[in-house]
Amino acid sequence: MKTIQLRRYTLVDGEYDAFVAWWESTMPKVRPAAGFAIEFAYGLRESNEFVWAVSAEGDQEAFLALEATYLASPGRAAAFEGVPQRVAGYDIRFADFVASA
């Protein structure tokens, strides 16, 4: 069993390219090192949005415990050190599996 968290960000105007470049160079290293898998990531340039999903083995409680450890980790702190705020708003929720193609 794995738990998937869907993360939808509205980016600060003018920061789309900088955010995507930072995300591509950082998250595929930091999240897996913390025990997560990145399921997908998509940018929606026209609406200045970035949508991605991250997963972890276990139920939501296990995911939240792993996330708490990640949020307090030196690796995450280093990933965000000196990075300006590029996310104006976000919607983060757990997703239910429905079907695969």
Side-chain angles (χ1 to χ4, degrees):
M1 167 188 207
K2 71 178 173 180
T3 298
I4 297 176
Q5 187 184 67
L6 181 64
R7 307 177 68 86
R8 184 178 202 120
Y9 302 158
T10 300
L11 304 176
V12 171
D13 286 340
E15 293 292 331
Y16 180 89
D17 290 326
F19 176 85
V20 169
W22 169 83
W23 192 94
E24 287 179 319
S25 70
T26 305
M27 284 298 115
K29 298 175 195 166
V30 176
R31 280 289 188 150
F36 296 94
I38 295 173
E39 297 291 324
F40 65 81
Y42 291 95
L44 294 87
R45 184 179 297 278
E46 295 80 23
S47 59
N48 208 32
E49 292 177 278
F50 189 81
V51 180
W52 63 296
V54 62
S55 67
E57 292 300 318
D59 60 12
Q60 286 185 21
E61 186 176 319
F63 185 102
L64 291 171
L66 186 63
E67 187 171 52
T69 300
Y70 163 71
L71 292 173
S73 72
R76 183 189 184 277
F80 283 86
E81 186 176 347
V83 177
Q85 180 58 265
R86 293 184 174 124
V87 177
Y90 56 88
D91 183 17
I92 300 172
R93 301 171 190 243
F94 289 108
D96 295 325
F97 178 77
V98 178
S100 61

